[in-house]
DNA sequence: GCGGTGGGTTCATATGCTGAACCGCTGTTT
DNA sequence: AAACAGCGGTTCAGCATATGAACCCACCGC
């Protein structure tokens, strides 16, 4: 492990829950010598990656990281950062994949990608997603801010025979999303489109959006469902990471449970 | 210069105008050996600070910087990051200092700090600043987005005898701000309050807000004006830096000109 | 097929990184 | 008030590790 790598590793010990770290404390966390750690911190401080809290002499992340983040955002905007994941997802599942983001109480489409595998495809032709009637929306309700449910409950329009139009019916879908880690819509918005959706998170584990695969009802077998869920989990990890976020352990656990071989027997039985 | 410092320095060569850099190119920019630079880049890539564009093999900033920026923002929110600069500014000038930020076409107050030096003080009791009648607003018009002027011209309310109420009068103040690097208001909003304002910028040198000192007309001498301008420039550099931004060279040049001893003769004569 | 450029690799050399032990300070305990 | 523990910060001998000249291979224009 190079000196530079060790220096950079120090930065990863700072987090929202541990924003300031003293020298000795950092030595213990990193399991390294005090003199070494001190010199590494000096290098980081010189470059503006950390700064000293003048009163406590503890270290915290510095302004340089803001600077770099702005350059990164200008270089690879969020939209561009999902394109690769999205095309891989569409490719692996043979279905239409898309990513949407939450802004206030509205979930809008950021990017989508269709797979050429089948002649029939789901096409994402809406820009904002009804919260109660789409896999994406259910995901937002399940993992997003609590006050979103009231907004959803105030607009329970019926789109198809399957659209849930009572708060209780929506609540059931949301509960299911929370336990499985995936939002789902079986023709709730368009009768022939079955969708599955996985949430995306920021660094503080706040919901920021969802990645979704939209399939066609007639080919939506349990096997395909499992494949899509596996790929969705992968894509969600990837996109969340690319946006600088982290997945809550609860979601990972829900996925592990949902995708375990044991559970597979249940769903296919 | 330590290996870690050299590694970190590589990151500073990425910018909005040069977002992706190849290995050889980076060697030339940094003036370092190819093997060394390559190993440094590997360390950075391993830590997620850079990533390779898979098609061009060029390097660009990675997702880790977004992650760190979010932690930094959670650790030291912008408001907290200005407090120290602001109290130093209030202390050095003996006047009231405040920081405001531009959001859309509205300039709102982020934080303010009064100095106890004098019994009479300017008090910042508004939350949004009229663009045409305050030093802060003139600063926004001079250095902010061009379409702001139309917004300002549509609301030329008169507050005092000095308030500029014609587009031409506002335009003159804006021109003056552009050449001096400081917005000013001589009782344009409240007749007894004289204010000076310096702009704040983000990483792409876009105007994001202003730092202002509000003084009382009766003690606003040319000497005090010069002192305030010097301190404002210092505070603007500091806050801009703390927010991860960079000052346009044009503004620095305007300040240097305004604050030069030669220029001082002109203003005091 | 040839020169120029690019990314990536090798290896002997010596530079500069490492960590035990140290200092001076502060707040707490006895 | 003396002893103590913990902190941030410093020193220096010894050797791990960073360094860069020279190298390879692939690609591109000609």
């Amino acid at each position: 492990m190079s000196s530079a790598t060790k220096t950079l590793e120090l930065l990863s010990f700072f987090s929202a829950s541990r924003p300031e770290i003293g020298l000795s404390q950092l030595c213990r966390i990193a399991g390294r010598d005090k003199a070494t750690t001190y010199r590494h911190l000096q290098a980081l401080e010189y470059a503006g990656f950390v700064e000293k809290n003048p009163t406590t002499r503890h270290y915290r992340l510095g302004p340089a990281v803001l600077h770099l983040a702005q350059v990164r955002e200008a270089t690879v905007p969020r939209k561009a950062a999902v394109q690769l994941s999205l095309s891989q997802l569409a490719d692996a599942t043979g279905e239409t994949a898309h990513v949407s983001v939450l802004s206030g109480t509205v979930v809008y489409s950021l990017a989508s990608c269709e797979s050429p595998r089948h002649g029939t495809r789901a096409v994402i032709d809406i820009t904002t997603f009804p919260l109660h009637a789409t896999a994406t929306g259910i995901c937002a309700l399940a993992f997003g801010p609590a006050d979103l449910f009231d907004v959803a409950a105030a607009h329970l329009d019926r789109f198809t025979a399957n659209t849930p139009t009572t708060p209780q019916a929506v609540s059931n879908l949301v509960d299911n999303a929370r336990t499985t880690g995936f939002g789902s819509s079986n023709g709730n918005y368009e009768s022939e489109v079955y969708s599955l959706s996985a949430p995306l998170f920021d660094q503080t584990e706040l919901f920021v959006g969802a990645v979704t695969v939209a399939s066609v009802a007639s080919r939506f077998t349990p096997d395909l469902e499992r494949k899509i869920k596996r790929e969705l989990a992968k894509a969600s990890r990837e996109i969340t990471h690319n946006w600088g976020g982290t997945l809550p352990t609860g979601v990972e656990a829900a996925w592990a449970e949902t995708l375990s071989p044991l559970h597979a027997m249940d769903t296919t039985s």
Side-chain angles (χ1 to χ4, degrees), chain A:
Chain A
M1 187 188 258
S2 75
S3 167
T5 303
K6 280 181 261 186
T7 303
L8 291 169
E9 196 193 353
L10 291 182
L11 293 174
S12 69
F13 298 123
F14 293 90
S15 66
S17 56
R18 203 208 281 125
E20 299 202 343
I21 313 182
L23 174 58
S24 302
Q25 197 184 351
L26 191 52
C27 293
R28 264 177 265 122
I29 296 167
R32 286 208 283 278
D33 184 83
K34 195 161 56 159
T36 305
T37 306
Y38 180 63
R39 259 175 292 106
H40 288 169
L41 279 171
Q42 290 216 318
L44 289 171
E45 190 177 10
Y46 176 79
F49 282 80
V50 302
E51 63 184 14
K52 250 186 292 217
N53 181 327
T55 62
T56 63
R57 286 181 168 183
H58 285 196
Y59 295 86
R60 64 179 177 219
L61 293 178
V65 301
L66 294 181
H67 180 106
L68 291 179
Q70 290 179 49
V71 175
R72 158 78 186 188
E73 191 58 38
T75 310
V76 190
R78 287 201 298 178
K79 184 166 176 171
V82 301
Q83 295 293 4
L84 184 62
S85 301
L86 219 45
S87 69
Q88 284 171 350
L89 181 58
D91 208 49
T93 59
E95 305 290 343
T96 298
H98 68 98
V99 165
S100 47
V101 294
L102 174 70
S103 177
T105 60
V106 178
V107 175
Y108 66 91
S109 179
L110 183 70
S112 80
C113 180
E114 299 174 21
S115 163
R117 177 126 21 121
H118 304 287
T120 57
R121 302 171 203 163
V123 176
I124 311 303
D125 52 4
I126 51 175
T127 55
T128 67
F129 292 84
L131 292 171
H132 66 298
T134 59
T136 302
I138 295 297
C139 229
L141 294 175
F143 302 101
D147 58 3
L148 222 52
F149 195 88
D150 300 333
V151 178
H155 302 89
L156 295 176
D157 309 303
R158 173 176 293 287
F159 299 105
T160 72
N162 282 349
T163 306
T165 52
T166 65
Q168 186 54 52
V170 176
S171 184
N172 289 345
L173 289 175
V174 169
D175 286 346
N176 178 59
R178 288 217 183 92
T179 55
T180 61
F182 298 101
S184 69
S185 155
N186 296 336
N188 299 3
Y189 179 67
E190 291 188 276
S191 53
E192 287 308 302
V193 176
Y194 278 36
S195 292
L196 285 166
S197 190
L200 305 169
F201 298 88
D202 76 358
Q203 200 285 313
T204 55
E205 303 197 345
L206 245 56
F207 175 89
V208 288
V211 54
T212 305
V213 169
S215 176
V216 174
S218 57
R219 60 172 176 260
F220 195 71
T221 62
D223 263 10
L224 180 61
E225 180 175 345
R226 275 182 58 74
K227 175 156 194 68
I228 289 176
K229 283 182 174 172
R230 256 199 313 276
E231 297 295 334
L232 270 178
K234 213 176 93 189
S236 168
R237 286 190 200 101
E238 208 170 283
I239 295 169
T240 293
H241 176 249
N242 269 329
W243 287 0
T246 47
L247 285 168
T249 52
V251 173
E252 279 286 5
W255 287 345
E257 167 69 14
T258 305
L259 294 170
S260 72
L262 191 74
H263 193 86
M265 306 298 269
D266 298 348
T267 51
T268 51
S269 66

